[in-house]
Amino acid sequence: MALFGKTAAQWRNETGISGKTPNIRDFASVEELVVLINLEDTNADLIREEVPKMERLRILREKAYRQLEILKKNQETIKALKQNLIEDPRKNN
């Protein structure tokens, strides 16, 4: 909800997909998936701290927005990192 602005069920309804698969994650960008992982970890921490649900959602939405903005602004750096990961590491030895 914090990242996509809707529940998975709402997304499936809007796209006309029935059942539990495919999942909204199957259509997410790499950047959205990275943010989602971070949000899940933060949410677990907030639950342990007994932060109320609506406050958690507000915090997570703010964090999602900030992280996506940072990732979008750094697309060239991300492309370079992806390329370095794909290249054969033995070439650097």
Side-chain angles (χ1 to χ4, degrees), residues 9 16 18 22 24 32 35-36 38 41-42 45 54 61 73 78 86-87 91-92:
S18 61
I24 192 171
E32 288 170 329
V35 172
L36 189 58
N38 291 336
D41 182 62
T42 300
D45 290 340
M54 292 307 293
R61 280 186 177 171
K73 287 179 183 176
I78 292 169
I86 293 170
E87 288 179 1
K91 288 182 183 179
N92 296 328

Side-chain angles (χ1 to χ4, degrees), residues 3-45:
L3 178 59
F4 299 109
K6 58 187 88 177
T7 66
Q10 289 170 328
W11 174 81
R12 283 191 297 274
N13 188 45
E14 289 175 11
T15 57
I17 296 172
S18 61
K20 296 242 179 211
T21 56
N23 190 297
I24 192 171
R25 294 172 189 235
D26 297 335
F27 296 88
S29 68
V30 171
E31 293 80 11
E32 288 170 329
L33 292 173
V34 168
V35 172
L36 189 58
I37 290 167
N38 291 336
L39 294 180
E40 289 171 343
D41 182 62
T42 300
N43 191 45
D45 290 340

